[in-house]
Amino acid sequence: MFGCRTGRVPMNEGILIAGTEVAGTVSDAPLDTSLSETKSTGQSVEHQAQLKELNGFLKEFCEHEKAWRLGEALEILRKAIIKYPYSAALHFNLTEIFKKQGRQREAISTARRTLRLDPANTQIYNSLLFTLHYLEESKPEELFEMINSYSRMHFHETDLVPRHLLAPVRNRKRIRIAFASPDFRRHSVTHFIEPVMKHLNRSRFEIFGYSYSRNPLDQFTDILKSYCETWRDFKSEDFESMAKEILEDKPDIFVDLAGHSADNVLPLLAARMAPIQCTYLGYPNTTGLKTVDYRIVDVHTDPPGLTEKISTEKLIRLPESMWCFNPLTEVDFDPIPPHEKVGYFTFGTFNYLPKLNDTHLRRWAKLLRKTPNSRIMIKSLTLNDKPTCDQYFKRLIALDFPMKQITLCGGRSHEDHLRVYNVVDVGLDPYPYHGTTTTCEALWMGVPVITMAGPSHVSRVGASLLHSVGLSDLVAQNEDEYIEKAFALATDHERLREIRSTLRERMQKSALMDPKIFVPQLEEAFEEMLRRKEHPMARKKISGKKARVRNSG
């Protein structure tokens, strides 16, 4: 049933890749195919020697990458690729290093080169698709066509589970809702799924949790597990076995929390695990799968008429926010704006480095030149690596940033990460790929954020988050507005003081943080799905709990 290739790296090369444990045996796909078809003892010995050397390169790379010594990890890969130019595993890891360093174009070109070496590997496609979202020239319609083409290439209707296995079970007392994710741990997804799983109405919903992570689990895994009546921890990518267990559970609604992100279960979605399937939270675009019925968004990320034609799913629009945020860490914020203490103004962005493309960085350079008594703090875990930090500083200078107005900062513990917001006056959202967890953390720490809205979901997230806390006037519609709004807020000290002192309370009273407001709206979205599918346990619509469904294109 599950014939597609989904390994984190090409399956014939093991799973030695950035950010994962070393496992399996590494082999290579050399141009001389006789090395793969052993014809003599001499050739066998030579081939085994090559495998051992390549494995050594990859182990050394992983040691440096895990310690965030990205510059050294990069040099190891380059040295290895000179000797093994046809290793898809080496090229894929090179893609991931370029991405972490914020070198989007090099990551994209390397991903495409890797696909030529292993065109059947779906995780390479996933990485390429994700990285393309970071560039402004990637048009929403073109990304939609790429995702559709990719899905048609790797997932086929012939893989579908027989319909009799998916028939809704009648006379149940509760709806079985299954949440599936590789990220049930300290991860961005947990900030938003924890309030949902904790507060769903247990008299109406029976919760199943399907975890399938390669990464180490932690205390947050245990918390999420405690909210589930049934929890399954899948340790491998044996989709046949996973499907068998899930189909035996007979969920009514299967909620995917990964989309095209790493370690996803798209093969399961393509085969259909439940009468109703939807995707939510983990990926900011369509799955491209006709077997995924719905995508949960809100009226601000996906206003009616804007994105239906670039989504294969029907859109379920929540009326206020599609997120309910839990900071997971208690840290006090300083109500006094930092510029009042230090005498200069600090803009800040703590987003994932590849979200910062050259086009948008040039906007920030213009803003700094317009606001000479200011600086910008760019904070990212990858900047702990000195070669990466030095390279990034040179990049900013080349983009016309005033050298004396740049501060680059590496990562720390989550508590320290949040405390750094106490030295930031105003946050700057990237474009087109907006921050989500990062923006919520900034708002939680009293830091307002300037964003620029675009034509797709990924470029409208900031607009939704700011609307939730009553700061819609900080949403710009173009570059000039973006720079002007940031400059105006930087010079309006009275307003900054008022925002900083009240922002946390605003969040706590909104759907963005109050599960008593948010969760009933999400529950009504699930009820709407049941009604649309004429599920035997569907209830009539309850007034006051709005969730709108629009057909996609």
Side-chain angles (χ1 to χ4, degrees):
M1 184 187 297
F2 303 99
C4 58
R5 297 280 297 280
T6 59
R8 283 276 291 178
V9 294
M11 287 187 173
N12 68 325
E13 297 188 329
I15 52 172
L16 277 167
I17 58 112
T20 68
E21 296 298 321
V22 174
T25 301
V26 177
S27 62
D28 199 26
L31 184 62
D32 182 1
T33 56
S34 64
L35 290 177
S36 301
E37 301 172 3
T38 303
K39 297 179 180 179
S40 70
T41 302
Q43 286 180 328
S44 177
V45 171
E46 180 184 1
H47 186 55
Q48 290 302 315
Q50 288 184 335
L51 296 182
K52 184 177 180 180
E53 183 179 43
L54 179 57
N55 207 18
F57 276 128
L58 288 169
K59 285 182 178 179
E60 186 182 4
F61 158 78
C62 283
E63 290 173 2
H64 287 287
E65 188 275 336
K66 287 179 182 179
W68 292 96
R69 296 191 295 268
L70 302 185
E72 294 173 69
L74 181 62
E75 290 308 309
I76 291 167
L77 289 175
R78 284 175 165 162
K79 179 181 177 182
I81 287 171
I82 291 172
K83 193 158 190 179
Y84 297 99
Y86 302 102
S87 168
L90 292 175
H91 285 280
F92 183 73
N93 281 293
L94 185 61
T95 298
E96 297 302 294
I97 292 295
F98 281 148
K99 189 192 302 182
K100 288 181 178 181
Q101 291 184 320
R103 299 160 71 171
Q104 306 94 336
R105 297 184 189 283
E106 289 163 284
I108 289 168
S109 63
T110 307
R112 287 177 168 149
R113 189 180 312 123
T114 310
L115 281 172
R116 289 195 291 272
L117 295 170
D118 190 359
N121 192 284
T122 60
Q123 288 292 357
I124 302 170
Y125 276 98
N126 292 332
S127 179
L128 173 61
L129 289 172
F130 227 121
T131 309
L132 285 167
H133 283 80
Y134 300 136
L135 299 181
E136 289 196 34
E137 57 263 40
S138 297
K139 305 303 180 187
E141 297 78 12
E142 294 171 355
L143 284 172
F144 176 67
E145 288 303 320
M146 285 189 67
I147 293 171
N148 268 350
S149 175
Y150 159 67
S151 297
R152 288 193 300 268
M153 184 188 308
H154 291 279
F155 309 107
H156 310 289
E157 288 189 342
T158 54
D159 287 342
L160 295 180
V161 169
R163 289 296 171 181
H164 71 274
L165 296 179
L166 296 169
V169 178
R170 297 176 180 274
N171 302 320
R172 273 185 184 157
K173 293 182 178 180
R174 296 184 293 170
I175 296 295
R176 289 189 175 183
I177 185 164
F179 296 98
S181 175
D183 301 316
F184 288 143
R185 53 190 170 86
R186 164 72 82 175
H187 187 275
S188 292
V189 166
T190 302
H191 284 280
F192 303 100
I193 201 61
E194 189 277 338
V196 172
M197 295 175 76
K198 181 177 181 179
H199 292 279
L200 272 176
N201 182 354
R202 292 306 193 278
S203 67
R204 179 60 171 161
F205 297 97
E206 181 181 357
I207 301 178
F208 287 67
Y210 298 143
S211 173
Y212 48 92
S213 179
R214 293 181 185 274
N215 295 285
L217 304 181
D218 55 26
Q219 70 270 30
F220 295 103
T221 310
D222 295 333
I223 291 171
L224 297 175
K225 185 176 181 179
S226 72
Y227 300 147
C228 300
E229 280 90 342
T230 301
W231 177 272
R232 303 205 183 281
D233 191 3
F234 298 108
K235 296 296 185 183
S236 69
E237 289 182 344
D238 181 358
F239 292 117
E240 293 282 358
S241 298
M242 292 171 70
K244 184 177 183 294
E245 290 194 52
I246 293 169
L247 291 170
E248 287 175 354
D249 289 337
K250 289 190 175 295
D252 297 293
I253 303 175
F254 187 93
V255 184
D256 162 60
L257 301 174
H260 285 274
S261 57
D263 295 330
N264 61 66
V265 287
L266 290 172
L268 296 182
L269 290 171
R272 187 176 284 279
M273 295 292 100
I276 298 169
Q277 295 194 138
C278 71
T279 187
Y280 177 48
L281 285 181
Y283 189 69
N285 209 329
T286 183
T287 62
L289 296 176
K290 294 180 180 179
T291 49
V292 179
D293 306 294
Y294 302 104
R295 185 156 61 95
I296 299 174
V297 294
D298 67 45
V299 296
H300 308 289
T301 61
D302 296 74
L306 184 65
T307 57
E308 290 90 345
K309 291 184 179 180
I310 53 175
S311 177
T312 54
E313 307 87 2
K314 294 181 177 67
L315 301 181
I316 295 278
R317 294 184 177 90
L318 300 186
E320 295 182 65
S321 170
M322 63 173 281
W323 302 278
C324 189
F325 175 67
N326 180 348
L328 301 180
T329 303
E330 289 296 327
V331 173
D332 292 333
F333 75 100
D334 189 342
I336 302 174
H339 71 267
E340 295 185 9
K341 301 177 181 179
V342 298
Y344 56 84
F345 190 87
T346 302
F347 296 105
T349 185
F350 295 1
N351 281 275
Y352 188 38
L353 215 56
K355 290 186 177 184
L356 315 184
N357 60 70
D358 284 357
T359 304
H360 200 57
L361 286 171
R362 288 189 181 94
R363 294 187 183 105
W364 292 351
K366 291 179 183 178
L367 173 62
L368 291 177
R369 293 191 176 280
K370 186 180 178 69
T371 319
N373 190 35
S374 71
R375 68 174 183 179
I376 186 168
M377 174 182 284
I378 298 176
K379 181 179 179 297
S380 174
L381 188 60
T382 56
L383 294 174
N384 282 333
D385 178 58
K386 189 177 186 303
T388 300
C389 190
D390 291 345
Q391 178 265 336
Y392 207 80
F393 189 84
K394 292 176 182 177
R395 176 180 174 184
L396 296 180
I397 297 301
L399 292 171
D400 205 29
F401 274 70
M403 184 171 62
K404 294 182 180 180
Q405 292 176 251
I406 303 171
T407 299
L408 300 182
C409 182
R412 309 180 186 184
S413 70
H414 192 239
E415 292 81 359
D416 287 341
H417 165 78
L418 292 177
R419 290 190 184 98
V420 177
Y421 279 109
N422 285 325
V423 301
V424 176
D425 291 284
V426 169
L428 298 176
D429 210 7
Y431 183 90
Y433 200 130
H434 286 182
T436 307
T437 309
T438 307
T439 297
C440 287
E441 288 176 338
L443 299 175
W444 173 245
M445 294 302 295
V447 178
V449 176
I450 304 294
T451 192
M452 185 166 71
S456 62
H457 175 99
V458 74
S459 60
R460 299 190 60 82
V461 169
S464 175
L465 298 175
L466 290 171
H467 185 275
S468 293
V469 295
L471 294 176
S472 295
D473 64 307
L474 300 186
V475 180
Q477 301 303 318
N478 55 55
E479 177 177 309
D480 290 342
E481 272 192 22
Y482 184 92
I483 294 171
E484 187 54 43
K485 285 179 181 291
F487 175 77
L489 190 57
T491 54
D492 191 343
H493 297 177
E494 184 175 341
R495 189 178 184 210
L496 272 175
R497 196 178 303 113
E498 185 272 332
I499 290 175
R500 198 174 189 95
S501 63
T502 62
L503 196 43
R504 181 170 288 195
E505 185 179 2
R506 291 193 206 185
M507 285 187 76
Q508 291 171 322
K509 292 181 177 180
S510 73
L512 185 55
M513 277 199 75
D514 188 345
K516 293 179 181 178
I517 299 173
F518 176 82
V519 174
Q521 295 174 354
L522 183 61
E523 290 174 345
E524 178 58 19
F526 292 137
E527 298 284 0
E528 182 71 14
M529 296 176 195
L530 295 168
R531 286 191 290 269
R532 286 280 175 145
K533 289 290 186 177
E534 299 181 348
H535 192 282
M537 293 185 69
R539 287 178 175 175
K540 292 182 179 180
K541 189 169 184 176
I542 302 172
S543 61
K545 295 182 181 179
K546 301 177 182 178
R548 288 173 277 185
V549 180
R550 301 277 179 172
N551 290 328
S552 61

